[in-house]
Amino acid sequence: MPKRFVSIWFRHLLTDWKVIRQPSLKGRPFVFAEPDHGRMVITAASSAAENSGVSEGMVVADAKVLTPDLQVFDGKPGRNLKLLKGLAEWCLRYSPLVAVDPPDGLLLDVTGCTHLKGGEREFLKDMVIRLKGLGYDVRPGMADTIGCAWGVARCASSGLIVPEAGHRNALMPLPPSALRLPTDLLLKLQNLGLYQISSFIHIPRAVLRRRFGKNMVLRMLQALGQEEEFLLPMKEPVPYSERLSCLEPVRTRTAIEIVVNNLLDNICKRLRNEGLGLRKATITYYCIDGEKGTIAIGTNHASHQIEHLFKLFSLTLDTVSPGMGIELFVLDACQTEPVDAQQKDLWAAKPGADSKQVAELLDRVAGKIGCDGIQRFLPDEHYWPERSTKPTSDIKKKPETEWPADKPLPVQLLAVPEPIKATALTPDYPPILFLYRGRRHEIKKADGPERIEREWWIEPGEHRDYYVVEDQDGRRYWIFRSGHYNGTQEDHWFLHGFFA
């Protein structure tokens, strides 16, 4: 399939943007100007100002002689680039490969995309109508090469869609400025009477390079397709991506679910054939009113199971705002990994942390409460209870040591022990009551003490004597006294955990 490129020229990018923000300026002459060596120089002019003889590069004082009622607005460096980036994001609905072409254009690689709108002519027509509907005066060009599309958009009087393999003939009648040459070189060609590309296209390259430099030859060969030119897209393409354009705008949840299922079916087939599965995926939807939105999912195991992935996306569909209707859905597999071969004995065994059932359950829970609501901890070799575990985000990681099972441990361990006020028979008896957050707990049963020495090689301090106690309501707590009894009862007792 031959490559096809589109160049979009925004003939009055900044002034159109201003009119969109201030409709009262429509049809009136105004310009943007920036200071340059003590003078205000025009950087952009509206079509009405250009019709009055005002052009970019003129000094404001001279322009006001031609147009006394000319309005002048302060220009801002880089504003055009910011506008182009926003328009490039908007154009992602037409192609996944869109590049900014400063100072006033965009480039699109539309290879294999035009059939979605019924052909190249309908494709360009739809794009131009909608951009003009937004308020921008645009002129497109389509050809086999970036250079030819650029030249046609800016210099051709007709024939904006160049047929396949017709770029050479399309370039012949165009002026040298269609080759994206610098101003000094254009003046030199004009002084020599070379007003069209056909005037010098047959001159030997060595002669052109010697007379006009290698840049001119490079631009000419790129436009002719004899030298490779790469488009650097604003958004890096994802290796695994699926697009679905809707014949009619989609607004209902049922229709959205059908689209999501079709996208997953297509991408999972590709991934399954290559032994891969999804870890992270996003669906970007584009509305006919110009708005867009994104929903995303993540999995603990690489998966290409359509039913499971659809359940994860269905948890987020309530956040989709179709507005006036969604016209395009794009599914990107942001992260993929090889899928492990499932063994038969895994299904017969009791599901563990790395089983498929547990991983899919965690995916569904994370879709409801968020990934931050799920944490996994592995045992760590430390005596101090708060250091005895370490978090991990890898559900497949195996513990390096076994969980201690010789002594009862609380189901909930506080990250920082909380001080309590306790009364105990000293020196080695458990407390008979304690106060925690203003509530009195009378201890009916107690077990201990269990002494845990401080890890002196990490930090200095006292040891701890732990007790498992049960209050009058049957609730069980893990409390400790820090250090030896020193004659006081209140300042050395702490609550560290809760039992089931």
Side-chain angles (χ1 to χ4, degrees), residues 18 21 38 72 79 123 204 223 279-280 292 304 317 351 391 484:
K18 190 66 174 178
R21 293 169 63 91
V72 181
R79 180 180 287 162
F123 184 90
R279 284 297 308 276
K280 293 181 181 179
K292 71 173 185 176
H304 50 230
L317 291 184
H484 295 287

Side-chain angles (χ1 to χ4, degrees), residues 241-268 282-286 293 295 306 309-311 313-314 317 320 322 325-332:
S241 180
E242 291 291 333
R243 300 167 67 91
L244 198 153
S245 181
C246 306
L247 295 177
E248 295 291 337
V250 169
R251 297 185 63 181
T252 65
R253 181 185 175 98
T254 302
I256 295 173
E257 289 178 347
I258 294 173
V259 171
V260 172
N261 196 69
N262 289 337
L263 288 171
L264 288 172
D265 183 60
N266 293 336
I267 204 166
C268 286
T282 61
I283 291 180
T284 305
Y285 55 92
Y286 297 85
I295 55 177
I306 300 174
L309 297 173
F310 177 78
K311 288 179 180 178
F313 272 119
S314 64
L317 291 184
V320 175
I326 302 173
E327 61 176 343
L328 174 67
F329 293 83
V330 180
L331 170 61
D332 292 327

